Amino acid sequence: MGLERVFAGDDPAFVPYLAAGDPDYEASQAYVEALERGGADLIELGLPFSEPIAEGKTIQDAVVRSLKAGMTVERYFEFVEELDVDVPLVCMTYYNLVFQYGEEAGPRPFVQKAAEVGIEGFVVVDLPAEEAGPLRAACDEFGLDLVFIVAPTTEGDRLDSMKAQVSGYVYVQARLGVTGARDDVDDATEDSLARLSDWDVPKAVGFGIKTGDHAERIVSAGADGIIVGSALVDIVAEGHENDESVETVADRLEAKARELTEGAHRGAQNRPQPERT
Amino acid sequence: MSTDDAHDPKFGEYGGQYVPEALMPAIEELADAYERYVIENEDGFMDEFRDRLADFGGRPTPLQYAEQLSERYDTDVYLKREDLLHGGAHKLNNALGQVLLAKYMGKERIIAETGAGQHGTATAMAAAHLDMPCEIYMGETDIARQRPNVFRMRINGADVNPVTVGRGTLKEAISETMRDWATTVENTHYVIGSVVGPHPFPKMVRDFQSVISEEAREQAIEQTGGLPDSVIACAGGGSNTMGTFAEFVSDEEVALYAVEAGGSSLAVDEDRGVAPNSATLSTGDEGVLHGARTKLLQDSDGQIMESHSVSAGLDYAGVGPELAHLVDEGRVTPVNVDDDSALEAFHRLSQDEGIIPALETAHAFGYLERVAGPATDGRAAEPRDEHHDEVGDTVVVNVSGRGDKDLETVIEETSKRDLSIAPDMSVFDTGGMMSPGGAGGEH
């Protein structure tokens, strides 16, 4: 499938996340585009759900801002169509929105529409492999990837079940808990990567990555890519609270993206056993 | 109940396990523990649970013949008195079961969410009884309207964490508790307060609560010589509903009525994302929330609506998946009662039977009044309502909890309305009467 190409070169992939429409539609478009300028290889674009149970305060607040500013599922699809970026986009959301869309029950209409507007894959936060059959089938039908999150607690049969269904890349959750930037990176990452060493999809690590140094450590531990959300959403939130111009915030996002990209590249240089597919 | 039933995460299409990956191992561990301890009674778990329910909880609760109501409705009305359970609500059955199970599982910490505060109170009591540290998440709106229960949780040694996101009610509190659990899952058990959430919670909570219908069924046969014609229970998330219905589900001749909160209206303001009711079974659509596929109050996008009820305990946009299934199967009839009728029923039960019910419970009595009440407010039996025959000649109503916690709300809400049945509310100095120093009214 398609998204593996992002991780195919020598450089690790930088995968940023922003909630679409945060703090409003126009600014959010500019922010997503700034991430590409800063080196994004793939962007996880959040479709806000009213009950984001896996998110910490930073992304919860982003979701609230976006929904208050009028984000809907249809507006999200328009948002994707109107974005001026060349990198692949992955829709990150919760299952109820996928399940509800369209006249027909189940995920197929949502996947079809996503494919039409150019989405290439999904991360559905509250959809474990056991319940993912219908979405996996729809993704197969329309040629989209389905990414699963592997947590530090995921073991045994559950790993096998995810391995059988995952495509594009696997999202390695670096530590327990909800999303949110941290001042340090958890050592559990290396253990998590080791458990997935025989998986033939790229491994992107997320949860808590905030700085270029974190990115370097994660990649040198063997990650094929890094996923960064809250540290970027913090910049959007700060700009919004301080009433800064869209350009100023976009510049800061671009600079942060560059810092993270460069950190990841440094990490690749001292990576003992780079994982490549 | 069979092991097969315990093992199956679904009720038809409903139920399942829709949670972030980090929680899946904990849910699997819990499903295993549920099967071993609750279903198989390993290590005598259920024996200890029953003993503690009797000694600490005060079970069995009576099935009381309600003389005044029976006369009013020209129907034998029996009250299952869960308000007499320790803590004043049915919630203790489940809280005690889950905290005890957490101990058997070797967990070191208890977390829970609460809406009306009854579940939080029951969990705090059970945790204190079983010597487990306990934290409760509660929306700030609910904290404001259910202060006596906040005090009770604190007094029982639990920490109460206010949830400020959204409208600050049960929906937000559940989300916040799931976030805590995702972080602390290795040593913490989340005591879900209703028959909602991912498998095994809906089945496990039902099983802990089914002691209500187990007793009610036996008591009804003993006291009346047969089964009741109908069983009525209020429904928010649905724990007292499923507990009251569980042992009657296979008695096809017994009608089961789940009374939801009709709030101020059944109409929905889709632009504002607000449903001015909590009538999920009556008006909701299928969707996925808080770990399960069930019926939900949601907009056409699938965003969850803010719900409303004068009763904090019913104020939730979801409902237990088993109830959703039983409604689809036609086994349970969903009905709803609005805020006004619930308040009226609150006063009626208080005056006629000397029982101050929880506002949740008052909804069940509001339904009885609607279908079987006299056409006028007089005492004389008027011609029966056309629905009267549906509830039949013998009715069991579950008094799910006592209303002390709701007094402030009742005084405030009654003052806003012209309820002929209510006493003059202007005599109440709510600030003085219900201030922290005066909250001894709980006891």
mmCIF file with all atom_site columns, all heavy atoms in Angstrom, chain B residues 157-177:
data_model
loop_
_atom_site.group_PDB
_atom_site.id
_atom_site.type_symbol
_atom_site.label_atom_id
_atom_site.label_alt_id
_atom_site.label_comp_id
_atom_site.label_asym_id
_atom_site.label_entity_id
_atom_site.label_seq_id
_atom_site.pdbx_PDB_ins_code
_atom_site.Cartn_x
_atom_site.Cartn_y
_atom_site.Cartn_z
_atom_site.occupancy
_atom_site.B_iso_or_equiv
_atom_site.pdbx_formal_charge
_atom_site.auth_seq_id
_atom_site.auth_comp_id
_atom_site.auth_asym_id
_atom_site.auth_atom_id
_atom_site.pdbx_PDB_model_num
ATOM 1   N N   . GLY B 1 157 ? -13.266 9.672  52.359 1.00 0.00 ? 157 GLY B N   1
ATOM 2   C CA  . GLY B 1 157 ? -11.837 9.588  52.091 1.00 0.00 ? 157 GLY B CA  1
ATOM 3   C C   . GLY B 1 157 ? -11.441 9.642  50.635 1.00 0.00 ? 157 GLY B C   1
ATOM 4   O O   . GLY B 1 157 ? -10.264 9.499  50.303 1.00 0.00 ? 157 GLY B O   1
ATOM 5   N N   . ALA B 1 158 ? -12.403 9.852  49.735 1.00 0.00 ? 158 ALA B N   1
ATOM 6   C CA  . ALA B 1 158 ? -12.054 9.894  48.303 1.00 0.00 ? 158 ALA B CA  1
ATOM 7   C C   . ALA B 1 158 ? -11.671 11.316 47.889 1.00 0.00 ? 158 ALA B C   1
ATOM 8   O O   . ALA B 1 158 ? -12.149 12.291 48.466 1.00 0.00 ? 158 ALA B O   1
ATOM 9   C CB  . ALA B 1 158 ? -13.247 9.432  47.471 1.00 0.00 ? 158 ALA B CB  1
ATOM 10  N N   . ASP B 1 159 ? -10.797 11.400 46.901 1.00 0.00 ? 159 ASP B N   1
ATOM 11  C CA  . ASP B 1 159 ? -10.520 12.699 46.282 1.00 0.00 ? 159 ASP B CA  1
ATOM 12  C C   . ASP B 1 159 ? -11.538 12.915 45.172 1.00 0.00 ? 159 ASP B C   1
ATOM 13  O O   . ASP B 1 159 ? -11.824 11.992 44.398 1.00 0.00 ? 159 ASP B O   1
ATOM 14  C CB  . ASP B 1 159 ? -9.113  12.719 45.678 1.00 0.00 ? 159 ASP B CB  1
ATOM 15  C CG  . ASP B 1 159 ? -8.046  12.767 46.764 1.00 0.00 ? 159 ASP B CG  1
ATOM 16  O OD1 . ASP B 1 159 ? -8.340  13.324 47.844 1.00 0.00 ? 159 ASP B OD1 1
ATOM 17  O OD2 . ASP B 1 159 ? -6.944  12.232 46.530 1.00 0.00 ? 159 ASP B OD2 1
ATOM 18  N N   . VAL B 1 160 ? -12.074 14.122 45.085 1.00 0.00 ? 160 VAL B N   1
ATOM 19  C CA  . VAL B 1 160 ? -13.027 14.449 44.026 1.00 0.00 ? 160 VAL B CA  1
ATOM 20  C C   . VAL B 1 160 ? -12.356 15.420 43.059 1.00 0.00 ? 160 VAL B C   1
ATOM 21  O O   . VAL B 1 160 ? -11.969 16.522 43.450 1.00 0.00 ? 160 VAL B O   1
ATOM 22  C CB  . VAL B 1 160 ? -14.315 15.072 44.604 1.00 0.00 ? 160 VAL B CB  1
ATOM 23  C CG1 . VAL B 1 160 ? -15.287 15.426 43.472 1.00 0.00 ? 160 VAL B CG1 1
ATOM 24  C CG2 . VAL B 1 160 ? -14.968 14.118 45.590 1.00 0.00 ? 160 VAL B CG2 1
ATOM 25  N N   . ASN B 1 161 ? -12.176 14.962 41.813 1.00 0.00 ? 161 ASN B N   1
ATOM 26  C CA  . ASN B 1 161 ? -11.511 15.797 40.804 1.00 0.00 ? 161 ASN B CA  1
ATOM 27  C C   . ASN B 1 161 ? -12.557 16.445 39.906 1.00 0.00 ? 161 ASN B C   1
ATOM 28  O O   . ASN B 1 161 ? -13.260 15.748 39.181 1.00 0.00 ? 161 ASN B O   1
ATOM 29  C CB  . ASN B 1 161 ? -10.578 14.940 39.932 1.00 0.00 ? 161 ASN B CB  1
ATOM 30  C CG  . ASN B 1 161 ? -9.547  14.202 40.762 1.00 0.00 ? 161 ASN B CG  1
ATOM 31  O OD1 . ASN B 1 161 ? -9.035  14.743 41.735 1.00 0.00 ? 161 ASN B OD1 1
ATOM 32  N ND2 . ASN B 1 161 ? -9.241  12.966 40.390 1.00 0.00 ? 161 ASN B ND2 1
ATOM 33  N N   . PRO B 1 162 ? -12.665 17.783 39.929 1.00 0.00 ? 162 PRO B N   1
ATOM 34  C CA  . PRO B 1 162 ? -13.656 18.452 39.072 1.00 0.00 ? 162 PRO B CA  1
ATOM 35  C C   . PRO B 1 162 ? -13.256 18.371 37.601 1.00 0.00 ? 162 PRO B C   1
ATOM 36  O O   . PRO B 1 162 ? -12.075 18.492 37.273 1.00 0.00 ? 162 PRO B O   1
ATOM 37  C CB  . PRO B 1 162 ? -13.628 19.910 39.535 1.00 0.00 ? 162 PRO B CB  1
ATOM 38  C CG  . PRO B 1 162 ? -12.654 19.988 40.659 1.00 0.00 ? 162 PRO B CG  1
ATOM 39  C CD  . PRO B 1 162 ? -11.881 18.732 40.715 1.00 0.00 ? 162 PRO B CD  1
ATOM 40  N N   . VAL B 1 163 ? -14.235 18.150 36.738 1.00 0.00 ? 163 VAL B N   1
ATOM 41  C CA  . VAL B 1 163 ? -13.984 18.117 35.285 1.00 0.00 ? 163 VAL B CA  1
ATOM 42  C C   . VAL B 1 163 ? -14.635 19.367 34.692 1.00 0.00 ? 163 VAL B C   1
ATOM 43  O O   . VAL B 1 163 ? -15.845 19.577 34.831 1.00 0.00 ? 163 VAL B O   1
ATOM 44  C CB  . VAL B 1 163 ? -14.586 16.847 34.660 1.00 0.00 ? 163 VAL B CB  1
ATOM 45  C CG1 . VAL B 1 163 ? -14.371 16.840 33.154 1.00 0.00 ? 163 VAL B CG1 1
ATOM 46  C CG2 . VAL B 1 163 ? -13.948 15.614 35.287 1.00 0.00 ? 163 VAL B CG2 1
ATOM 47  N N   . THR B 1 164 ? -13.800 20.174 34.048 1.00 0.00 ? 164 THR B N   1
ATOM 48  C CA  . THR B 1 164 ? -14.294 21.484 33.603 1.00 0.00 ? 164 THR B CA  1
ATOM 49  C C   . THR B 1 164 ? -14.581 21.551 32.110 1.00 0.00 ? 164 THR B C   1
ATOM 50  O O   . THR B 1 164 ? -15.184 22.511 31.657 1.00 0.00 ? 164 THR B O   1
ATOM 51  C CB  . THR B 1 164 ? -13.260 22.570 33.941 1.00 0.00 ? 164 THR B CB  1
ATOM 52  O OG1 . THR B 1 164 ? -12.022 22.217 33.332 1.00 0.00 ? 164 THR B OG1 1
ATOM 53  C CG2 . THR B 1 164 ? -13.069 22.703 35.441 1.00 0.00 ? 164 THR B CG2 1
ATOM 54  N N   . VAL B 1 165 ? -14.181 20.537 31.350 1.00 0.00 ? 165 VAL B N   1
ATOM 55  C CA  . VAL B 1 165 ? -14.401 20.609 29.901 1.00 0.00 ? 165 VAL B CA  1
ATOM 56  C C   . VAL B 1 165 ? -15.889 20.412 29.581 1.00 0.00 ? 165 VAL B C   1
ATOM 57  O O   . VAL B 1 165 ? -16.648 19.875 30.390 1.00 0.00 ? 165 VAL B O   1
ATOM 58  C CB  . VAL B 1 165 ? -13.571 19.554 29.112 1.00 0.00 ? 165 VAL B CB  1
ATOM 59  C CG1 . VAL B 1 165 ? -12.093 19.839 29.274 1.00 0.00 ? 165 VAL B CG1 1
ATOM 60  C CG2 . VAL B 1 165 ? -13.896 18.154 29.575 1.00 0.00 ? 165 VAL B CG2 1
ATOM 61  N N   . GLY B 1 166 ? -16.272 20.827 28.391 1.00 0.00 ? 166 GLY B N   1
ATOM 62  C CA  . GLY B 1 166 ? -17.643 20.644 27.920 1.00 0.00 ? 166 GLY B CA  1
ATOM 63  C C   . GLY B 1 166 ? -18.634 21.293 28.868 1.00 0.00 ? 166 GLY B C   1
ATOM 64  O O   . GLY B 1 166 ? -18.407 22.369 29.406 1.00 0.00 ? 166 GLY B O   1
ATOM 65  N N   . ARG B 1 167 ? -19.760 20.591 29.075 1.00 0.00 ? 167 ARG B N   1
ATOM 66  C CA  . ARG B 1 167 ? -20.782 21.130 29.944 1.00 0.00 ? 167 ARG B CA  1
ATOM 67  C C   . ARG B 1 167 ? -20.568 20.704 31.395 1.00 0.00 ? 167 ARG B C   1
ATOM 68  O O   . ARG B 1 167 ? -21.313 21.101 32.288 1.00 0.00 ? 167 ARG B O   1
ATOM 69  C CB  . ARG B 1 167 ? -22.170 20.662 29.457 1.00 0.00 ? 167 ARG B CB  1
ATOM 70  C CG  . ARG B 1 167 ? -23.302 21.618 29.812 1.00 0.00 ? 167 ARG B CG  1
ATOM 71  C CD  . ARG B 1 167 ? -24.546 21.324 29.010 1.00 0.00 ? 167 ARG B CD  1
ATOM 72  N NE  . ARG B 1 167 ? -25.116 20.020 29.288 1.00 0.00 ? 167 ARG B NE  1
ATOM 73  C CZ  . ARG B 1 167 ? -25.899 19.748 30.346 1.00 0.00 ? 167 ARG B CZ  1
ATOM 74  N NH1 . ARG B 1 167 ? -26.177 20.677 31.215 1.00 0.00 ? 167 ARG B NH1 1
ATOM 75  N NH2 . ARG B 1 167 ? -26.402 18.542 30.511 1.00 0.00 ? 167 ARG B NH2 1
ATOM 76  N N   . GLY B 1 168 ? -19.531 19.888 31.606 1.00 0.00 ? 168 GLY B N   1
ATOM 77  C CA  . GLY B 1 168 ? -19.220 19.500 32.972 1.00 0.00 ? 168 GLY B CA  1
ATOM 78  C C   . GLY B 1 168 ? -20.232 18.559 33.575 1.00 0.00 ? 168 GLY B C   1
ATOM 79  O O   . GLY B 1 168 ? -20.646 18.718 34.722 1.00 0.00 ? 168 GLY B O   1
ATOM 80  N N   . THR B 1 169 ? -20.642 17.549 32.791 1.00 0.00 ? 169 THR B N   1
ATOM 81  C CA  . THR B 1 169 ? -21.569 16.546 33.328 1.00 0.00 ? 169 THR B CA  1
ATOM 82  C C   . THR B 1 169 ? -20.968 15.151 33.142 1.00 0.00 ? 169 THR B C   1
ATOM 83  O O   . THR B 1 169 ? -19.771 15.004 32.915 1.00 0.00 ? 169 THR B O   1
ATOM 84  C CB  . THR B 1 169 ? -22.966 16.637 32.671 1.00 0.00 ? 169 THR B CB  1
ATOM 85  O OG1 . THR B 1 169 ? -22.835 16.455 31.279 1.00 0.00 ? 169 THR B OG1 1
ATOM 86  C CG2 . THR B 1 169 ? -23.612 17.988 32.960 1.00 0.00 ? 169 THR B CG2 1
ATOM 87  N N   . LEU B 1 170 ? -21.812 14.141 33.212 1.00 0.00 ? 170 LEU B N   1
ATOM 88  C CA  . LEU B 1 170 ? -21.326 12.767 33.260 1.00 0.00 ? 170 LEU B CA  1
ATOM 89  C C   . LEU B 1 170 ? -20.491 12.378 32.035 1.00 0.00 ? 170 LEU B C   1
ATOM 90  O O   . LEU B 1 170 ? -19.486 11.678 32.151 1.00 0.00 ? 170 LEU B O   1
ATOM 91  C CB  . LEU B 1 170 ? -22.527 11.823 33.406 1.00 0.00 ? 170 LEU B CB  1
ATOM 92  C CG  . LEU B 1 170 ? -22.204 10.337 33.497 1.00 0.00 ? 170 LEU B CG  1
ATOM 93  C CD1 . LEU B 1 170 ? -21.287 10.057 34.672 1.00 0.00 ? 170 LEU B CD1 1
ATOM 94  C CD2 . LEU B 1 170 ? -23.485 9.524  33.625 1.00 0.00 ? 170 LEU B CD2 1
ATOM 95  N N   . LYS B 1 171 ? -20.916 12.841 30.858 1.00 0.00 ? 171 LYS B N   1
ATOM 96  C CA  . LYS B 1 171 ? -20.208 12.477 29.629 1.00 0.00 ? 171 LYS B CA  1
ATOM 97  C C   . LYS B 1 171 ? -18.735 12.903 29.707 1.00 0.00 ? 171 LYS B C   1
ATOM 98  O O   . LYS B 1 171 ? -17.832 12.134 29.392 1.00 0.00 ? 171 LYS B O   1
ATOM 99  C CB  . LYS B 1 171 ? -20.923 13.169 28.465 1.00 0.00 ? 171 LYS B CB  1
ATOM 100 C CG  . LYS B 1 171 ? -20.264 13.080 27.127 1.00 0.00 ? 171 LYS B CG  1
ATOM 101 C CD  . LYS B 1 171 ? -21.226 13.528 26.028 1.00 0.00 ? 171 LYS B CD  1
ATOM 102 C CE  . LYS B 1 171 ? -21.451 15.024 25.962 1.00 0.00 ? 171 LYS B CE  1
ATOM 103 N NZ  . LYS B 1 171 ? -20.324 15.816 25.451 1.00 0.00 ? 171 LYS B NZ  1
ATOM 104 N N   . GLU B 1 172 ? -18.510 14.107 30.152 1.00 0.00 ? 172 GLU B N   1
ATOM 105 C CA  . GLU B 1 172 ? -17.146 14.613 30.258 1.00 0.00 ? 172 GLU B CA  1
ATOM 106 C C   . GLU B 1 172 ? -16.385 13.888 31.373 1.00 0.00 ? 172 GLU B C   1
ATOM 107 O O   . GLU B 1 172 ? -15.183 13.629 31.248 1.00 0.00 ? 172 GLU B O   1
ATOM 108 C CB  . GLU B 1 172 ? -17.150 16.118 30.543 1.00 0.00 ? 172 GLU B CB  1
ATOM 109 C CG  . GLU B 1 172 ? -17.616 16.980 29.372 1.00 0.00 ? 172 GLU B CG  1
ATOM 110 C CD  . GLU B 1 172 ? -19.131 17.044 29.220 1.00 0.00 ? 172 GLU B CD  1
ATOM 111 O OE1 . GLU B 1 172 ? -19.841 16.681 30.177 1.00 0.00 ? 172 GLU B OE1 1
ATOM 112 O OE2 . GLU B 1 172 ? -19.610 17.435 28.140 1.00 0.00 ? 172 GLU B OE2 1
ATOM 113 N N   . ALA B 1 173 ? -17.103 13.566 32.443 1.00 0.00 ? 173 ALA B N   1
ATOM 114 C CA  . ALA B 1 173 ? -16.442 12.876 33.554 1.00 0.00 ? 173 ALA B CA  1
ATOM 115 C C   . ALA B 1 173 ? -15.987 11.480 33.130 1.00 0.00 ? 173 ALA B C   1
ATOM 116 O O   . ALA B 1 173 ? -14.900 11.032 33.502 1.00 0.00 ? 173 ALA B O   1
ATOM 117 C CB  . ALA B 1 173 ? -17.386 12.792 34.756 1.00 0.00 ? 173 ALA B CB  1
ATOM 118 N N   . ILE B 1 174 ? -16.804 10.803 32.321 1.00 0.00 ? 174 ILE B N   1
ATOM 119 C CA  . ILE B 1 174 ? -16.407 9.474  31.832 1.00 0.00 ? 174 ILE B CA  1
ATOM 120 C C   . ILE B 1 174 ? -15.160 9.589  30.958 1.00 0.00 ? 174 ILE B C   1
ATOM 121 O O   . ILE B 1 174 ? -14.202 8.832  31.108 1.00 0.00 ? 174 ILE B O   1
ATOM 122 C CB  . ILE B 1 174 ? -17.561 8.806  31.052 1.00 0.00 ? 174 ILE B CB  1
ATOM 123 C CG1 . ILE B 1 174 ? -18.707 8.442  32.000 1.00 0.00 ? 174 ILE B CG1 1
ATOM 124 C CG2 . ILE B 1 174 ? -17.066 7.547  30.331 1.00 0.00 ? 174 ILE B CG2 1
ATOM 125 C CD1 . ILE B 1 174 ? -19.913 7.807  31.310 1.00 0.00 ? 174 ILE B CD1 1
ATOM 126 N N   . SER B 1 175 ? -15.171 10.551 30.044 1.00 0.00 ? 175 SER B N   1
ATOM 127 C CA  . SER B 1 175 ? -14.000 10.729 29.174 1.00 0.00 ? 175 SER B CA  1
ATOM 128 C C   . SER B 1 175 ? -12.747 10.978 30.008 1.00 0.00 ? 175 SER B C   1
ATOM 129 O O   . SER B 1 175 ? -11.676 10.435 29.742 1.00 0.00 ? 175 SER B O   1
ATOM 130 C CB  . SER B 1 175 ? -14.222 11.904 28.214 1.00 0.00 ? 175 SER B CB  1
ATOM 131 O OG  . SER B 1 175 ? -15.255 11.599 27.298 1.00 0.00 ? 175 SER B OG  1
ATOM 132 N N   . GLU B 1 176 ? -12.879 11.807 31.024 1.00 0.00 ? 176 GLU B N   1
ATOM 133 C CA  . GLU B 1 176 ? -11.710 12.158 31.845 1.00 0.00 ? 176 GLU B CA  1
ATOM 134 C C   . GLU B 1 176 ? -11.220 10.946 32.638 1.00 0.00 ? 176 GLU B C   1
ATOM 135 O O   . GLU B 1 176 ? -10.017 10.742 32.789 1.00 0.00 ? 176 GLU B O   1
ATOM 136 C CB  . GLU B 1 176 ? -12.090 13.309 32.788 1.00 0.00 ? 176 GLU B CB  1
ATOM 137 C CG  . GLU B 1 176 ? -10.911 14.107 33.307 1.00 0.00 ? 176 GLU B CG  1
ATOM 138 C CD  . GLU B 1 176 ? -10.046 14.705 32.205 1.00 0.00 ? 176 GLU B CD  1
ATOM 139 O OE1 . GLU B 1 176 ? -10.590 15.137 31.176 1.00 0.00 ? 176 GLU B OE1 1
ATOM 140 O OE2 . GLU B 1 176 ? -8.818  14.719 32.365 1.00 0.00 ? 176 GLU B OE2 1
ATOM 141 N N   . THR B 1 177 ? -12.138 10.132 33.118 1.00 0.00 ? 177 THR B N   1
ATOM 142 C CA  . THR B 1 177 ? -11.729 8.944  33.874 1.00 0.00 ? 177 THR B CA  1
ATOM 143 C C   . THR B 1 177 ? -11.029 7.951  32.951 1.00 0.00 ? 177 THR B C   1
ATOM 144 O O   . THR B 1 177 ? -10.059 7.299  33.342 1.00 0.00 ? 177 THR B O   1
ATOM 145 C CB  . THR B 1 177 ? -12.952 8.281  34.546 1.00 0.00 ? 177 THR B CB  1
ATOM 146 O OG1 . THR B 1 177 ? -13.771 9.301  35.108 1.00 0.00 ? 177 THR B OG1 1
ATOM 147 C CG2 . THR B 1 177 ? -12.516 7.346  35.649 1.00 0.00 ? 177 THR B CG2 1
#
